mmCIF file with all atom_site columns, all heavy atoms in Angstrom:
data_model
loop_
_atom_site.group_PDB
_atom_site.id
_atom_site.type_symbol
_atom_site.label_atom_id
_atom_site.label_alt_id
_atom_site.label_comp_id
_atom_site.label_asym_id
_atom_site.label_entity_id
_atom_site.label_seq_id
_atom_site.pdbx_PDB_ins_code
_atom_site.Cartn_x
_atom_site.Cartn_y
_atom_site.Cartn_z
_atom_site.occupancy
_atom_site.B_iso_or_equiv
_atom_site.pdbx_formal_charge
_atom_site.auth_seq_id
_atom_site.auth_comp_id
_atom_site.auth_asym_id
_atom_site.auth_atom_id
_atom_site.pdbx_PDB_model_num
ATOM 1   N N   . TYR A 1 249 ? 6.752   1.700   12.133 1.00 98.00 ? 249 TYR A N   1
ATOM 2   C CA  . TYR A 1 249 ? 6.339   0.407   12.691 1.00 98.00 ? 249 TYR A CA  1
ATOM 3   C C   . TYR A 1 249 ? 5.516   -0.301  11.619 1.00 98.00 ? 249 TYR A C   1
ATOM 4   O O   . TYR A 1 249 ? 4.419   0.140   11.255 1.00 98.00 ? 249 TYR A O   1
ATOM 5   C CB  . TYR A 1 249 ? 5.515   0.638   13.949 1.00 98.00 ? 249 TYR A CB  1
ATOM 6   C CG  . TYR A 1 249 ? 5.143   -0.603  14.736 1.00 98.00 ? 249 TYR A CG  1
ATOM 7   C CD1 . TYR A 1 249 ? 6.113   -1.461  15.238 1.00 98.00 ? 249 TYR A CD1 1
ATOM 8   C CD2 . TYR A 1 249 ? 3.799   -0.883  15.026 1.00 98.00 ? 249 TYR A CD2 1
ATOM 9   C CE1 . TYR A 1 249 ? 5.763   -2.578  15.993 1.00 98.00 ? 249 TYR A CE1 1
ATOM 10  C CE2 . TYR A 1 249 ? 3.449   -1.994  15.789 1.00 98.00 ? 249 TYR A CE2 1
ATOM 11  C CZ  . TYR A 1 249 ? 4.427   -2.836  16.265 1.00 98.00 ? 249 TYR A CZ  1
ATOM 12  O OH  . TYR A 1 249 ? 4.084   -3.943  17.025 1.00 98.00 ? 249 TYR A OH  1
ATOM 13  N N   . GLU A 1 250 ? 6.050   -1.402  11.073 1.00 98.00 ? 250 GLU A N   1
ATOM 14  C CA  . GLU A 1 250 ? 5.365   -2.138  10.006 1.00 98.00 ? 250 GLU A CA  1
ATOM 15  C C   . GLU A 1 250 ? 4.468   -3.207  10.609 1.00 98.00 ? 250 GLU A C   1
ATOM 16  O O   . GLU A 1 250 ? 4.894   -3.971  11.484 1.00 98.00 ? 250 GLU A O   1
ATOM 17  C CB  . GLU A 1 250 ? 6.393   -2.789  9.075  1.00 98.00 ? 250 GLU A CB  1
ATOM 18  C CG  . GLU A 1 250 ? 5.734   -3.435  7.861  1.00 98.00 ? 250 GLU A CG  1
ATOM 19  C CD  . GLU A 1 250 ? 6.658   -4.368  7.093  1.00 98.00 ? 250 GLU A CD  1
ATOM 20  O OE1 . GLU A 1 250 ? 7.675   -4.817  7.663  1.00 98.00 ? 250 GLU A OE1 1
ATOM 21  O OE2 . GLU A 1 250 ? 6.349   -4.672  5.927  1.00 98.00 ? 250 GLU A OE2 1
ATOM 22  N N   . VAL A 1 251 ? 3.236   -3.271  10.100 1.00 98.00 ? 251 VAL A N   1
ATOM 23  C CA  . VAL A 1 251 ? 2.227   -4.135  10.721 1.00 98.00 ? 251 VAL A CA  1
ATOM 24  C C   . VAL A 1 251 ? 1.462   -4.935  9.672  1.00 98.00 ? 251 VAL A C   1
ATOM 25  O O   . VAL A 1 251 ? 1.062   -4.407  8.631  1.00 98.00 ? 251 VAL A O   1
ATOM 26  C CB  . VAL A 1 251 ? 1.229   -3.285  11.545 1.00 98.00 ? 251 VAL A CB  1
ATOM 27  C CG1 . VAL A 1 251 ? 0.022   -4.103  11.966 1.00 98.00 ? 251 VAL A CG1 1
ATOM 28  C CG2 . VAL A 1 251 ? 1.917   -2.713  12.772 1.00 98.00 ? 251 VAL A CG2 1
ATOM 29  N N   . HIS A 1 252 ? 1.267   -6.218  9.978  1.00 98.00 ? 252 HIS A N   1
ATOM 30  C CA  . HIS A 1 252 ? 0.301   -7.055  9.271  1.00 98.00 ? 252 HIS A CA  1
ATOM 31  C C   . HIS A 1 252 ? -0.939  -7.072  10.156 1.00 98.00 ? 252 HIS A C   1
ATOM 32  O O   . HIS A 1 252 ? -0.961  -7.719  11.210 1.00 98.00 ? 252 HIS A O   1
ATOM 33  C CB  . HIS A 1 252 ? 0.855   -8.465  9.076  1.00 98.00 ? 252 HIS A CB  1
ATOM 34  C CG  . HIS A 1 252 ? -0.116  -9.414  8.444  1.00 98.00 ? 252 HIS A CG  1
ATOM 35  N ND1 . HIS A 1 252 ? -0.800  -10.372 9.166  1.00 98.00 ? 252 HIS A ND1 1
ATOM 36  C CD2 . HIS A 1 252 ? -0.516  -9.558  7.157  1.00 98.00 ? 252 HIS A CD2 1
ATOM 37  C CE1 . HIS A 1 252 ? -1.573  -11.067 8.352  1.00 98.00 ? 252 HIS A CE1 1
ATOM 38  N NE2 . HIS A 1 252 ? -1.424  -10.596 7.131  1.00 98.00 ? 252 HIS A NE2 1
ATOM 39  N N   . LEU A 1 253 ? -1.956  -6.348  9.743  1.00 98.00 ? 253 LEU A N   1
ATOM 40  C CA  . LEU A 1 253 ? -3.097  -6.097  10.627 1.00 98.00 ? 253 LEU A CA  1
ATOM 41  C C   . LEU A 1 253 ? -3.794  -7.363  11.126 1.00 98.00 ? 253 LEU A C   1
ATOM 42  O O   . LEU A 1 253 ? -4.133  -7.449  12.317 1.00 98.00 ? 253 LEU A O   1
ATOM 43  C CB  . LEU A 1 253 ? -4.104  -5.183  9.919  1.00 98.00 ? 253 LEU A CB  1
ATOM 44  C CG  . LEU A 1 253 ? -3.618  -3.752  9.691  1.00 98.00 ? 253 LEU A CG  1
ATOM 45  C CD1 . LEU A 1 253 ? -4.549  -3.034  8.729  1.00 98.00 ? 253 LEU A CD1 1
ATOM 46  C CD2 . LEU A 1 253 ? -3.539  -3.002  11.013 1.00 98.00 ? 253 LEU A CD2 1
ATOM 47  N N   . PRO A 1 254 ? -4.031  -8.384  10.265 1.00 97.00 ? 254 PRO A N   1
ATOM 48  C CA  . PRO A 1 254 ? -4.767  -9.547  10.770 1.00 97.00 ? 254 PRO A CA  1
ATOM 49  C C   . PRO A 1 254 ? -4.047  -10.328 11.862 1.00 97.00 ? 254 PRO A C   1
ATOM 50  O O   . PRO A 1 254 ? -4.685  -11.086 12.592 1.00 97.00 ? 254 PRO A O   1
ATOM 51  C CB  . PRO A 1 254 ? -4.954  -10.418 9.520  1.00 97.00 ? 254 PRO A CB  1
ATOM 52  C CG  . PRO A 1 254 ? -4.872  -9.463  8.377  1.00 97.00 ? 254 PRO A CG  1
ATOM 53  C CD  . PRO A 1 254 ? -3.844  -8.453  8.803  1.00 97.00 ? 254 PRO A CD  1
ATOM 54  N N   . SER A 1 255 ? -2.713  -10.171 11.990 1.00 97.00 ? 255 SER A N   1
ATOM 55  C CA  . SER A 1 255 ? -1.993  -10.959 12.993 1.00 97.00 ? 255 SER A CA  1
ATOM 56  C C   . SER A 1 255 ? -1.299  -10.105 14.058 1.00 97.00 ? 255 SER A C   1
ATOM 57  O O   . SER A 1 255 ? -0.589  -10.652 14.897 1.00 97.00 ? 255 SER A O   1
ATOM 58  C CB  . SER A 1 255 ? -0.952  -11.864 12.312 1.00 97.00 ? 255 SER A CB  1
ATOM 59  O OG  . SER A 1 255 ? 0.019   -11.102 11.619 1.00 97.00 ? 255 SER A OG  1
ATOM 60  N N   . TRP A 1 256 ? -1.500  -8.788  14.037 1.00 97.00 ? 256 TRP A N   1
ATOM 61  C CA  . TRP A 1 256 ? -0.915  -7.976  15.106 1.00 97.00 ? 256 TRP A CA  1
ATOM 62  C C   . TRP A 1 256 ? -1.562  -8.352  16.439 1.00 97.00 ? 256 TRP A C   1
ATOM 63  O O   . TRP A 1 256 ? -0.896  -8.605  17.435 1.00 97.00 ? 256 TRP A O   1
ATOM 64  C CB  . TRP A 1 256 ? -1.100  -6.483  14.815 1.00 97.00 ? 256 TRP A CB  1
ATOM 65  C CG  . TRP A 1 256 ? -0.488  -5.621  15.883 1.00 97.00 ? 256 TRP A CG  1
ATOM 66  C CD1 . TRP A 1 256 ? 0.836   -5.361  16.050 1.00 97.00 ? 256 TRP A CD1 1
ATOM 67  C CD2 . TRP A 1 256 ? -1.169  -4.950  16.950 1.00 97.00 ? 256 TRP A CD2 1
ATOM 68  N NE1 . TRP A 1 256 ? 1.030   -4.557  17.157 1.00 97.00 ? 256 TRP A NE1 1
ATOM 69  C CE2 . TRP A 1 256 ? -0.192  -4.291  17.731 1.00 97.00 ? 256 TRP A CE2 1
ATOM 70  C CE3 . TRP A 1 256 ? -2.510  -4.842  17.324 1.00 97.00 ? 256 TRP A CE3 1
ATOM 71  C CZ2 . TRP A 1 256 ? -0.512  -3.532  18.858 1.00 97.00 ? 256 TRP A CZ2 1
ATOM 72  C CZ3 . TRP A 1 256 ? -2.836  -4.084  18.443 1.00 97.00 ? 256 TRP A CZ3 1
ATOM 73  C CH2 . TRP A 1 256 ? -1.841  -3.444  19.195 1.00 97.00 ? 256 TRP A CH2 1
ATOM 74  N N   . SER A 1 257 ? -2.869  -8.391  16.427 1.00 97.00 ? 257 SER A N   1
ATOM 75  C CA  . SER A 1 257 ? -3.629  -8.856  17.596 1.00 97.00 ? 257 SER A CA  1
ATOM 76  C C   . SER A 1 257 ? -4.951  -9.396  17.089 1.00 97.00 ? 257 SER A C   1
ATOM 77  O O   . SER A 1 257 ? -5.357  -9.097  15.956 1.00 97.00 ? 257 SER A O   1
ATOM 78  C CB  . SER A 1 257 ? -3.857  -7.708  18.588 1.00 97.00 ? 257 SER A CB  1
ATOM 79  O OG  . SER A 1 257 ? -4.534  -8.161  19.737 1.00 97.00 ? 257 SER A OG  1
ATOM 80  N N   . ARG A 1 258 ? -5.624  -10.190 17.906 1.00 95.00 ? 258 ARG A N   1
ATOM 81  C CA  . ARG A 1 258 ? -6.903  -10.757 17.485 1.00 95.00 ? 258 ARG A CA  1
ATOM 82  C C   . ARG A 1 258 ? -7.911  -10.650 18.613 1.00 95.00 ? 258 ARG A C   1
ATOM 83  O O   . ARG A 1 258 ? -7.556  -10.463 19.777 1.00 95.00 ? 258 ARG A O   1
ATOM 84  C CB  . ARG A 1 258 ? -6.738  -12.211 17.036 1.00 95.00 ? 258 ARG A CB  1
ATOM 85  C CG  . ARG A 1 258 ? -5.826  -12.341 15.815 1.00 95.00 ? 258 ARG A CG  1
ATOM 86  C CD  . ARG A 1 258 ? -6.167  -13.536 14.963 1.00 95.00 ? 258 ARG A CD  1
ATOM 87  N NE  . ARG A 1 258 ? -5.501  -13.485 13.660 1.00 95.00 ? 258 ARG A NE  1
ATOM 88  C CZ  . ARG A 1 258 ? -5.783  -14.272 12.644 1.00 95.00 ? 258 ARG A CZ  1
ATOM 89  N NH1 . ARG A 1 258 ? -6.722  -15.194 12.766 1.00 95.00 ? 258 ARG A NH1 1
ATOM 90  N NH2 . ARG A 1 258 ? -5.146  -14.159 11.494 1.00 95.00 ? 258 ARG A NH2 1
ATOM 91  N N   . GLY A 1 259 ? -9.177  -10.779 18.233 1.00 90.00 ? 259 GLY A N   1
ATOM 92  C CA  . GLY A 1 259 ? -10.234 -10.738 19.222 1.00 90.00 ? 259 GLY A CA  1
ATOM 93  C C   . GLY A 1 259 ? -10.313 -12.034 20.011 1.00 90.00 ? 259 GLY A C   1
ATOM 94  O O   . GLY A 1 259 ? -9.612  -13.017 19.726 1.00 90.00 ? 259 GLY A O   1
ATOM 95  N N   . GLU A 1 260 ? -11.161 -12.054 21.015 1.00 88.00 ? 260 GLU A N   1
ATOM 96  C CA  . GLU A 1 260 ? -11.326 -13.248 21.846 1.00 88.00 ? 260 GLU A CA  1
ATOM 97  C C   . GLU A 1 260 ? -11.805 -14.441 21.037 1.00 88.00 ? 260 GLU A C   1
ATOM 98  O O   . GLU A 1 260 ? -11.569 -15.588 21.407 1.00 88.00 ? 260 GLU A O   1
ATOM 99  C CB  . GLU A 1 260 ? -12.301 -12.955 22.982 1.00 88.00 ? 260 GLU A CB  1
ATOM 100 C CG  . GLU A 1 260 ? -11.764 -11.939 23.995 1.00 88.00 ? 260 GLU A CG  1
ATOM 101 C CD  . GLU A 1 260 ? -12.738 -11.694 25.129 1.00 88.00 ? 260 GLU A CD  1
ATOM 102 O OE1 . GLU A 1 260 ? -13.838 -12.323 25.117 1.00 88.00 ? 260 GLU A OE1 1
ATOM 103 O OE2 . GLU A 1 260 ? -12.423 -10.887 26.018 1.00 88.00 ? 260 GLU A OE2 1
ATOM 104 N N   . ASP A 1 261 ? -12.468 -14.155 19.897 1.00 89.00 ? 261 ASP A N   1
ATOM 105 C CA  . ASP A 1 261 ? -12.941 -15.244 19.034 1.00 89.00 ? 261 ASP A CA  1
ATOM 106 C C   . ASP A 1 261 ? -11.868 -15.720 18.066 1.00 89.00 ? 261 ASP A C   1
ATOM 107 O O   . ASP A 1 261 ? -12.109 -16.600 17.232 1.00 89.00 ? 261 ASP A O   1
ATOM 108 C CB  . ASP A 1 261 ? -14.186 -14.795 18.258 1.00 89.00 ? 261 ASP A CB  1
ATOM 109 C CG  . ASP A 1 261 ? -13.932 -13.554 17.403 1.00 89.00 ? 261 ASP A CG  1
ATOM 110 O OD1 . ASP A 1 261 ? -12.793 -13.040 17.419 1.00 89.00 ? 261 ASP A OD1 1
ATOM 111 O OD2 . ASP A 1 261 ? -14.872 -13.097 16.723 1.00 89.00 ? 261 ASP A OD2 1
ATOM 112 N N   . GLY A 1 262 ? -10.675 -15.137 18.155 1.00 88.00 ? 262 GLY A N   1
ATOM 113 C CA  . GLY A 1 262 ? -9.579  -15.533 17.277 1.00 88.00 ? 262 GLY A CA  1
ATOM 114 C C   . GLY A 1 262 ? -9.605  -14.895 15.912 1.00 88.00 ? 262 GLY A C   1
ATOM 115 O O   . GLY A 1 262 ? -8.747  -15.186 15.079 1.00 88.00 ? 262 GLY A O   1
ATOM 116 N N   . ARG A 1 263 ? -10.573 -14.015 15.667 1.00 91.00 ? 263 ARG A N   1
ATOM 117 C CA  . ARG A 1 263 ? -10.696 -13.375 14.361 1.00 91.00 ? 263 ARG A CA  1
ATOM 118 C C   . ARG A 1 263 ? -9.917  -12.060 14.332 1.00 91.00 ? 263 ARG A C   1
ATOM 119 O O   . ARG A 1 263 ? -9.700  -11.439 15.373 1.00 91.00 ? 263 ARG A O   1
ATOM 120 C CB  . ARG A 1 263 ? -12.167 -13.123 14.028 1.00 91.00 ? 263 ARG A CB  1
ATOM 121 C CG  . ARG A 1 263 ? -12.985 -14.407 13.891 1.00 91.00 ? 263 ARG A CG  1
ATOM 122 C CD  . ARG A 1 263 ? -14.472 -14.080 13.813 1.00 91.00 ? 263 ARG A CD  1
ATOM 123 N NE  . ARG A 1 263 ? -14.783 -13.326 12.621 1.00 91.00 ? 263 ARG A NE  1
ATOM 124 C CZ  . ARG A 1 263 ? -15.104 -13.863 11.443 1.00 91.00 ? 263 ARG A CZ  1
ATOM 125 N NH1 . ARG A 1 263 ? -15.141 -15.187 11.326 1.00 91.00 ? 263 ARG A NH1 1
ATOM 126 N NH2 . ARG A 1 263 ? -15.397 -13.123 10.405 1.00 91.00 ? 263 ARG A NH2 1
ATOM 127 N N   . PRO A 1 264 ? -9.500  -11.612 13.126 1.00 94.00 ? 264 PRO A N   1
ATOM 128 C CA  . PRO A 1 264 ? -8.818  -10.316 13.028 1.00 94.00 ? 264 PRO A CA  1
ATOM 129 C C   . PRO A 1 264 ? -9.690  -9.183  13.557 1.00 94.00 ? 264 PRO A C   1
ATOM 130 O O   . PRO A 1 264 ? -10.929 -9.241  13.496 1.00 94.00 ? 264 PRO A O   1
ATOM 131 C CB  . PRO A 1 264 ? -8.574  -10.164 11.518 1.00 94.00 ? 264 PRO A CB  1
ATOM 132 C CG  . PRO A 1 264 ? -8.550  -11.560 10.989 1.00 94.00 ? 264 PRO A CG  1
ATOM 133 C CD  . PRO A 1 264 ? -9.544  -12.323 11.828 1.00 94.00 ? 264 PRO A CD  1
ATOM 134 N N   . LEU A 1 265 ? -9.051  -8.163  14.073 1.00 96.00 ? 265 LEU A N   1
ATOM 135 C CA  . LEU A 1 265 ? -9.757  -7.025  14.634 1.00 96.00 ? 265 LEU A CA  1
ATOM 136 C C   . LEU A 1 265 ? -10.304 -6.124  13.531 1.00 96.00 ? 265 LEU A C   1
ATOM 137 O O   . LEU A 1 265 ? -9.719  -6.009  12.452 1.00 96.00 ? 265 LEU A O   1
ATOM 138 C CB  . LEU A 1 265 ? -8.819  -6.206  15.520 1.00 96.00 ? 265 LEU A CB  1
ATOM 139 C CG  . LEU A 1 265 ? -8.202  -6.924  16.727 1.00 96.00 ? 265 LEU A CG  1
ATOM 140 C CD1 . LEU A 1 265 ? -7.227  -5.995  17.445 1.00 96.00 ? 265 LEU A CD1 1
ATOM 141 C CD2 . LEU A 1 265 ? -9.279  -7.419  17.682 1.00 96.00 ? 265 LEU A CD2 1
ATOM 142 N N   . GLY A 1 266 ? -11.426 -5.464  13.816 1.00 97.00 ? 266 GLY A N   1
ATOM 143 C CA  . GLY A 1 266 ? -11.963 -4.456  12.914 1.00 97.00 ? 266 GLY A CA  1
ATOM 144 C C   . GLY A 1 266 ? -11.213 -3.142  13.083 1.00 97.00 ? 266 GLY A C   1
ATOM 145 O O   . GLY A 1 266 ? -10.406 -2.957  13.996 1.00 97.00 ? 266 GLY A O   1
ATOM 146 N N   . TRP A 1 267 ? -11.507 -2.201  12.179 1.00 98.00 ? 267 TRP A N   1
ATOM 147 C CA  . TRP A 1 267 ? -10.794 -0.921  12.204 1.00 98.00 ? 267 TRP A CA  1
ATOM 148 C C   . TRP A 1 267 ? -10.972 -0.183  13.522 1.00 98.00 ? 267 TRP A C   1
ATOM 149 O O   . TRP A 1 267 ? -10.027 0.437   14.025 1.00 98.00 ? 267 TRP A O   1
ATOM 150 C CB  . TRP A 1 267 ? -11.252 -0.044  11.044 1.00 98.00 ? 267 TRP A CB  1
ATOM 151 C CG  . TRP A 1 267 ? -10.784 -0.510  9.698  1.00 98.00 ? 267 TRP A CG  1
ATOM 152 C CD1 . TRP A 1 267 ? -11.542 -0.917  8.642  1.00 98.00 ? 267 TRP A CD1 1
ATOM 153 C CD2 . TRP A 1 267 ? -9.423  -0.613  9.247  1.00 98.00 ? 267 TRP A CD2 1
ATOM 154 N NE1 . TRP A 1 267 ? -10.763 -1.281  7.574  1.00 98.00 ? 267 TRP A NE1 1
ATOM 155 C CE2 . TRP A 1 267 ? -9.448  -1.096  7.908  1.00 98.00 ? 267 TRP A CE2 1
ATOM 156 C CE3 . TRP A 1 267 ? -8.189  -0.356  9.839  1.00 98.00 ? 267 TRP A CE3 1
ATOM 157 C CZ2 . TRP A 1 267 ? -8.292  -1.316  7.170  1.00 98.00 ? 267 TRP A CZ2 1
ATOM 158 C CZ3 . TRP A 1 267 ? -7.030  -0.573  9.096  1.00 98.00 ? 267 TRP A CZ3 1
ATOM 159 C CH2 . TRP A 1 267 ? -7.094  -1.040  7.785  1.00 98.00 ? 267 TRP A CH2 1
ATOM 160 N N   . ALA A 1 268 ? -12.163 -0.232  14.119 1.00 97.00 ? 268 ALA A N   1
ATOM 161 C CA  . ALA A 1 268 ? -12.388 0.496   15.368 1.00 97.00 ? 268 ALA A CA  1
ATOM 162 C C   . ALA A 1 268 ? -11.554 -0.101  16.499 1.00 97.00 ? 268 ALA A C   1
ATOM 163 O O   . ALA A 1 268 ? -10.933 0.634   17.288 1.00 97.00 ? 268 ALA A O   1
ATOM 164 C CB  . ALA A 1 268 ? -13.874 0.476   15.723 1.00 97.00 ? 268 ALA A CB  1
ATOM 165 N N   . ALA A 1 269 ? -11.522 -1.435  16.588 1.00 97.00 ? 269 ALA A N   1
ATOM 166 C CA  . ALA A 1 269 ? -10.723 -2.075  17.634 1.00 97.00 ? 269 ALA A CA  1
ATOM 167 C C   . ALA A 1 269 ? -9.236  -1.844  17.406 1.00 97.00 ? 269 ALA A C   1
ATOM 168 O O   . ALA A 1 269 ? -8.471  -1.642  18.359 1.00 97.00 ? 269 ALA A O   1
ATOM 169 C CB  . ALA A 1 269 ? -11.032 -3.574  17.683 1.00 97.00 ? 269 ALA A CB  1
ATOM 170 N N   . LEU A 1 270 ? -8.815  -1.850  16.162 1.00 98.00 ? 270 LEU A N   1
ATOM 171 C CA  . LEU A 1 270 ? -7.417  -1.553  15.862 1.00 98.00 ? 270 LEU A CA  1
ATOM 172 C C   . LEU A 1 270 ? -7.072  -0.128  16.271 1.00 98.00 ? 270 LEU A C   1
ATOM 173 O O   . LEU A 1 270 ? -5.987  0.140   16.799 1.00 98.00 ? 270 LEU A O   1
ATOM 174 C CB  . LEU A 1 270 ? -7.144  -1.755  14.371 1.00 98.00 ? 270 LEU A CB  1
ATOM 175 C CG  . LEU A 1 270 ? -7.032  -3.207  13.903 1.00 98.00 ? 270 LEU A CG  1
ATOM 176 C CD1 . LEU A 1 270 ? -7.146  -3.303  12.385 1.00 98.00 ? 270 LEU A CD1 1
ATOM 177 C CD2 . LEU A 1 270 ? -5.730  -3.843  14.385 1.00 98.00 ? 270 LEU A CD2 1
ATOM 178 N N   . ALA A 1 271 ? -7.993  0.789   16.021 1.00 98.00 ? 271 ALA A N   1
ATOM 179 C CA  . ALA A 1 271 ? -7.754  2.176   16.430 1.00 98.00 ? 271 ALA A CA  1
ATOM 180 C C   . ALA A 1 271 ? -7.612  2.274   17.942 1.00 98.00 ? 271 ALA A C   1
ATOM 181 O O   . ALA A 1 271 ? -6.777  3.032   18.457 1.00 98.00 ? 271 ALA A O   1
ATOM 182 C CB  . ALA A 1 271 ? -8.888  3.065   15.936 1.00 98.00 ? 271 ALA A CB  1
#
Side-chain angles (χ1 to χ4, degrees):
Y249 187 58
E250 186 194 20
V251 169
H252 176 257
L253 292 168
S255 62
W256 181 76
S257 183
R258 297 209 167 192
E260 293 181 0
D261 58 0
R263 296 170 65 89
L265 300 176
W267 289 118
L270 284 164

